[in-house]
Amino acid sequence: MAKLTSRAEDYSKWYNELVVKADLAENSGVRGCMVIKPYGYAIWEKMRDEMDRMFKETGHQNAYFPIFVPKSLFEAEEKNAEGFAKECAVVTHYRLKSDPNNPGKLIVDPEAKLEEELIVRPTSEAIIWNTYKNWIQSYRDLPILINQWANVVRWEMRTRLFLRTAEFLWQEGHTAHATKDEAIEETEKMLGVYADFAERFMAIPVVKGYKTESERFAGADETYCIEAMMQDGKALQAGTSHFLGQNFSKAFDVKFTNKEGKQDFPWATSWGTSTRLMGALIMTHSDDNGLVLPPSLAPIPVVIVPIHRTDEQLAQIGDVADDIIAKLKAKGIHVKYDDRNEYKPGWKFAEYELKGVPVRVAIGPKDLENQTVEVARRDTLTKEIVLIEGLDQYITDLLQTIQQDIFNKAKSFRDEHITRVDTYEEFKKVLEEKGGFISAHWDGTPEEEEQIKEETKATIRCIPLDAEEEDGVSLVTGKPSKRRVLFAKAY
């Protein structure tokens, strides 16, 4: 099994190789689009299922809306339309026909031009709020708490598997509320759900904050976000939650009769995460040997590999493995037993290391004699000899330990890469030599923000929610500032 390029040598190449060699995804025959392979999709399913449970626990329901958005609806909210215009794929015709000058080839039928062009959804606010107009008449119809699991298309020119593709999978929540306070509460609540999911299940520490005006979602009054730190010192936006105000309800003329009997416009939110989380998972934890997966999201938390020379030995090991598997299954832990004869144990060990299986159990004839097994941890690459008696509880505890240790390691790295600076010279030095989040003062203007971005490629990732007031001066203009923001280069 070919070795991966090391992270130190070429981080980008390491990432691309790992995604392909670990059987997560590959490029497709469609420019900029990917095929998510079964192992990669199994991880996404675990993410999806856990988030779906959390959404439903907070009162949300799933629905599905069309992938096509009539151009007139898309244009209704101007900021949203302008923000996504350059990324839109547009359907103009509904039929092909045979080319009379080139038999066997197809051409667009010029007589099959659509009366109105259709946008392939880059996001669904337009089609959803046009639908909500039929659902909302009274305050009794509110709140509407809807989530959609879907695909979207944003015509990216530079793509990378999971991180940025022309089509990707995601979920998008769209809610409507009777009051501004309720909508803001929803926006902040869903940000908390995302942060909880990232830290407890993905083992990724995140910073909760809100975006500057120039970085807000197109059409939002406020955008909240969770920001994560990758091992190369770049930031990655791992989820966003938007307070949309009444922008979309007014654009689509959605009105309701409030408790006072007066007409009003509902207050809206939207929030989303995508398969970009797969990229975050890979780049936060993995190493030069392959994936490192938190047990909560691993398709295979535990694998058992028999080491044998004869069929009789394999049968004896199989009996012991069956008992271990039954006990672990009773504790809700999925186990794979790999008794394939066409591969040697060493090859299997390398495969499961590459695929990030958290715990590997090896059982050989001598282990049967001693009533022990060898247990290997993927995160630390360490091994222990453990008694078969009580092994199920040992592994149960070990998986919890691994989950926490992976988070602690990522948090230590993140915390070590948050640097406070007070001058622009120091800012540029830290950015180039150390990377990570840079905590610095900013004068609050888009002009200074844009200048720093142009000169250093660093952007304001967020204004942390827990940022305390602190007198200071901004990096470039020297104007007074009351709080620090987090800058970083980002994916």
Side-chain angles (χ1 to χ4, degrees):
M1 199 171 288
K3 286 192 69 175
L4 295 168
T5 298
S6 75
R7 290 163 296 167
E9 181 183 343
D10 190 329
Y11 194 82
S12 179
K13 188 176 180 181
W14 164 82
Y15 173 83
N16 293 332
E17 286 179 356
L18 180 51
V19 170
V20 173
K21 289 182 179 180
D23 267 346
L24 300 179
E26 62 186 36
N27 290 304
S28 74
V30 183
R31 191 208 71 83
C33 295
M34 63 178 168
V35 173
I36 305 176
K37 299 182 77 174
Y39 192 67
Y41 198 78
I43 299 172
W44 172 246
E45 281 181 314
K46 287 215 163 203
M47 291 183 181
R48 182 197 65 195
D49 292 349
E50 190 54 48
M51 282 192 284
D52 195 65
R53 180 190 65 77
M54 296 172 84
F55 298 157
K56 286 171 180 170
E57 283 185 352
T58 48
H60 300 83
Q61 296 177 296
N62 288 334
Y64 187 80
F65 298 85
I67 191 172
F68 300 117
V69 184
K71 185 165 172 280
S72 59
L73 294 183
F74 186 73
E75 292 171 332
E77 210 295 320
E78 292 182 10
K79 289 183 181 179
N80 188 254
E82 290 174 3
F84 286 101
K86 293 181 180 179
E87 299 174 344
C88 286
V90 185
V91 180
T92 59
H93 291 74
Y94 61 85
R95 186 170 62 218
L96 301 174
K97 70 174 187 176
S98 297
D99 184 351
N101 300 315
N102 195 350
K105 299 295 183 181
L106 297 173
I107 60 171
V108 172
D109 186 346
E111 296 182 1
K113 193 174 190 320
L114 292 172
E115 290 184 13
E116 181 176 5
E117 294 170 340
L118 298 174
I119 309 299
V120 183
R121 65 175 169 225
T123 182
S124 296
E125 279 79 5
I127 194 69
I128 286 176
W129 275 91
N130 181 66
T131 304
Y132 283 177
K133 186 173 183 177
N134 300 320
W135 295 5
I136 301 171
Q137 281 81 42
S138 163
Y139 70 89
R140 296 181 183 88
D141 300 321
L142 299 171
I144 291 178
L145 306 175
I146 293 293
N147 175 64
Q148 171 175 238
W149 292 97
N151 63 337
V152 288
V153 172
R154 297 180 184 175
W155 213 254
E156 300 279 0
M157 299 309 295
R158 296 180 180 178
T159 60
R160 184 183 293 185
L161 294 171
F162 291 121
L163 293 175
R164 200 172 289 278
T165 49
E167 179 201 20
F168 54 90
L169 304 181
W170 79 344
Q171 59 74 211
E172 48 181 324
H174 295 273
T175 70
H177 304 265
T179 70
K180 179 179 181 180
D181 288 346
E182 287 178 19
I184 292 174
E185 181 184 353
E186 165 79 5
T187 310
E188 294 176 348
K189 177 196 293 181
M190 298 318 294
L191 184 76
V193 168
Y194 286 154
D196 187 38
F197 171 75
E199 297 194 340
R200 286 204 297 126
F201 292 92
M202 296 184 70
I204 297 177
V206 294
V207 177
K208 291 190 288 185
Y210 56 96
K211 293 289 189 181
T212 62
E213 184 177 355
S214 62
E215 293 286 333
R216 281 180 199 152
F217 175 78
D221 284 358
E222 199 76 81
T223 288
Y224 295 79
C225 61
I226 54 171
E227 294 286 331
M229 177 58 55
M230 304 296 98
Q231 293 178 55
D232 63 345
K234 287 186 179 180
L236 187 142
Q237 181 179 283
T240 50
S241 185
H242 314 290
F243 170 58
L244 303 178
Q246 295 173 309
N247 298 332
F248 284 89
S249 59
K250 288 179 177 178
F252 290 92
D253 195 31
V254 182
K255 295 179 182 177
F256 74 101
T257 303
N258 62 26
K259 289 181 179 180
E260 289 73 39
K262 297 179 180 178
Q263 288 279 288
D264 199 359
F265 293 98
W267 298 81
T269 83
S270 68
W271 28 275
T273 57
S274 74
T275 38
R276 181 170 237 245
L277 290 177
M278 291 286 292
L281 188 71
I282 295 161
M283 291 194 293
T284 301
H285 304 306
S286 302
D287 60 25
D288 291 349
N289 295 301
L291 293 175
V292 174
L293 297 176
S296 61
L297 295 178
I300 307 169
V302 181
V303 64
I304 299 176
V305 178
I307 302 172
H308 62 95
R309 294 190 179 185
T310 68
D311 290 344
E312 182 182 0
Q313 290 174 341
L314 179 59
Q316 292 172 342
I317 293 169
D319 289 341
V320 172
D322 286 344
D323 184 58
I324 296 170
I325 291 168
K327 289 178 179 177
L328 287 171
K329 186 177 180 181
K331 292 181 179 289
I333 298 169
H334 172 64
V335 186
K336 178 177 179 179
Y337 179 54
D338 190 349
D339 59 353
R340 292 176 294 172
N341 281 321
E342 58 268 33
Y343 298 105
K344 293 182 178 179
W347 189 95
K348 295 177 185 178
F349 291 172
E351 180 188 31
Y352 294 119
E353 206 166 88
L354 177 65
K355 290 192 170 185
V357 174
V359 172
R360 186 184 74 232
V361 178
I363 309 175
K366 286 187 178 179
D367 295 302
L368 295 183
E369 291 176 15
N370 297 327
Q371 286 295 292
T372 60
V373 298
E374 179 187 81
V375 178
R377 285 179 61 162
R378 173 61 187 88
D379 61 324
T380 59
L381 298 175
T382 55
K383 301 173 184 177
E384 295 280 347
I385 301 301
V386 181
L387 289 172
I388 292 174
E389 181 68 31
L391 180 64
D392 56 326
Q393 189 58 50
Y394 177 88
I395 289 177
T396 301
D397 295 340
L398 181 61
L399 291 172
Q400 292 175 354
T401 298
I402 292 171
Q403 182 81 24
Q404 188 62 48
D405 286 356
I406 289 175
F407 174 81
N408 292 343
K409 181 180 178 182
K411 188 174 186 301
S412 293
F413 179 87
R414 193 277 309 271
D415 292 348
E416 289 165 6
H417 286 78
I418 300 177
T419 308
R420 289 165 63 95
V421 304
D422 294 306
T423 67
Y424 198 25
E425 290 70 29
E426 189 181 5
F427 176 93
K428 288 186 276 192
K429 186 174 190 239
V430 170
L431 190 66
E432 292 307 313
E433 296 180 4
K434 181 181 179 183
F437 288 126
I438 300 179
S439 177
H441 284 278
W442 163 61
D443 70 4
T445 67
E447 289 76 21
E448 184 177 71
E449 185 178 7
E450 183 60 29
Q451 181 180 341
I452 292 171
K453 181 180 179 180
E454 285 185 4
E455 293 176 356
T456 69
K457 308 301 181 189
T459 56
I460 297 176
R461 301 314 304 156
C462 71
I463 303 167
L465 293 183
D466 61 0
E468 297 179 355
E469 283 202 4
E470 173 191 297
D471 290 330
V473 295
S474 67
L475 290 173
V476 178
T477 66
K479 292 180 180 177
S481 165
K482 286 293 184 183
R483 63 175 53 84
R484 292 175 180 269
V485 299
L486 289 184
F487 289 86
K489 292 183 179 179
Y491 285 96

